[in-house]
Amino acid sequence: MAAKEVQGGDAEYAEFATSRSGHLYRSACLLTGGDTHLAEDLVQETLSRMYTAWRRPGWLFGGRTIENPAGYAQGILYRQFISHRRRRSAGERPIAQVPDRAGPESDSTLRVTLLEALGALPPRDRAVLVLRYWEDVSVEETAEILRCGPGAVRTRTSRALVRLRALLGDSLPDLVQR
């Protein structure tokens, strides 16, 4: 199948969206600190922007071809999250506790604790940590996605980890040993 056919068709986009939406949703949940409704909104917005880009002939943006649609979608998701956090100065506030959910008993407390700690971090710190440690993205790729320099990514990562450790305090080793 020719490259133009793969990039231009609605069926191919539907296949792409179906295969990537779960991964995008998990990343969005981590970014939003467990706010599943906001995570769904972010994924929806990401996929709609991807559809717009998908329909453009040749996938040309500023003279460069997008070779990695999955990576491009991740970048859209992170930028949408940061943009949403900037716009939301006086809007709704997240609830203090994550609602009860069925799941494995062994790691649910750890998961809730980590989500709450991530939720307490500033949006850009959260984005850097999720990209670097959840998505396993390199410093350079993280810098490209967040449109900043590699030095800024290293500095933000270091500071975000210090903040996360301060938020978790001594509770994390107890939760992991269970």
Side-chain angles (χ1 to χ4, degrees), residues 50-115:
M50 277 301 295
Y51 183 73
T52 302
W54 198 278
R55 301 286 296 166
R56 290 184 185 149
W59 277 67
L60 292 176
F61 297 115
R64 74 179 183 146
T65 302
I66 296 173
E67 297 177 8
N68 182 0
Y72 187 73
Q74 283 299 126
I76 291 173
L77 176 72
Y78 285 93
R79 287 188 294 276
Q80 280 299 115
F81 168 71
I82 290 169
S83 175
H84 171 75
R85 297 303 293 190
R86 277 190 211 126
R87 286 188 309 248
R88 198 183 120 199
S89 60
E92 299 176 25
R93 300 286 181 217
I95 59 174
Q97 295 180 347
V98 177
D100 290 336
R101 302 202 179 180
E105 186 63 35
S106 62
D107 69 344
S108 63
T109 307
L110 173 63
R111 186 172 301 191
V112 169
T113 303
L114 287 174
L115 282 175

Side-chain angles (χ1 to χ4, degrees), residues 100-162:
D100 290 336
R101 302 202 179 180
E105 186 63 35
S106 62
D107 69 344
S108 63
T109 307
L110 173 63
R111 186 172 301 191
V112 169
T113 303
L114 287 174
L115 282 175
E116 287 176 351
L118 274 174
L121 293 176
R124 290 193 70 84
D125 288 354
R126 223 177 307 165
V128 166
L129 290 181
V130 171
L131 277 167
R132 295 284 294 124
Y133 298 106
W134 173 258
E135 301 289 339
D136 198 26
V137 174
S138 72
V139 170
E140 291 74 21
E141 290 172 315
T142 301
E144 185 178 322
I145 289 170
L146 297 178
R147 296 181 178 156
C148 62
V153 170
R154 287 186 198 96
T155 301
R156 187 168 291 279
T157 301
S158 175
R159 291 178 182 167
L161 286 173
V162 168

